[in-house]
Each structure stands twice: as C-alpha cells, then as structure tokens.
Amino acid sequence: MMKLVPILIDNKRIVQLSQLTIDQANDLRSFLPGSSIKQISYQGMELQDCIDFETYEYWCQTNHVQNGTTSTIWDV
C-alpha cells in the first residue's frame, strides 16, 4: 500500500480521503467517527474529505497488522 504525503495547511498535516482508492477510503470511513472528517477552506477551495495525517498514519499501521501483511522500512 502506498502511503499518502500529507498536505500542510495552517501548520496542520492533513490528507484527503479522495486521494485513496475507493476501497481504502471506504475502509477508513468505517474506521473513523464521522466527526473526524473535516471540511477545510484553502486558497478559495473547499476540501471536503480531510482527516488529520496522524489519524491516517495510525489507520495505515493498524490496517497492515489486521491484514497480516508485513512491511519493511522500504514499504513505507
């Protein structure tokens, strides 16, 4: 699984669920409480499906463990 690179907005690292595959985005949405998905205004654009990068990173780590896959430093 390729990890997303965070977007830095107002000193906060975020990712957009729309940057994930549909399956990954759906898995992550089912993992998260609805209140953690945010709408952020940036340079006149409304980013609809943002989450904190730390939350995404935690999900990535637990997703690897739950799926039984192993990873090395080169997989990150």
Side-chain angles (χ1 to χ4, degrees):
M1 178 171 109
M2 294 285 294
K3 278 182 68 176
L4 297 178
V5 176
I7 303 167
L8 187 63
I9 298 176
D10 296 330
N11 292 326
K12 294 180 184 178
R13 297 184 313 162
I14 62 157
V15 294
Q16 283 186 277
L17 295 180
S18 58
Q19 294 177 323
L20 297 168
T21 66
I22 292 172
D23 290 336
Q24 290 172 339
N26 287 339
D27 287 346
L28 188 47
R29 283 181 201 274
S30 67
F31 173 79
L32 296 171
S35 61
S36 62
I37 300 174
K38 304 170 187 171
Q39 179 178 350
I40 297 175
S41 181
Y42 179 66
Q43 294 183 350
M45 297 184 315
E46 292 294 323
L47 306 176
Q48 299 291 327
D49 54 353
C50 300
I51 61 169
D52 294 328
F53 181 72
E54 291 75 20
T55 303
Y56 167 73
E57 211 166 27
Y58 176 80
W59 175 79
C60 285
Q61 291 171 357
T62 58
N63 191 39
H64 274 285
V65 172
Q66 288 174 352
N67 289 334
T69 59
T70 57
S71 59
T72 67
I73 192 168
W74 304 111
D75 296 327
V76 176

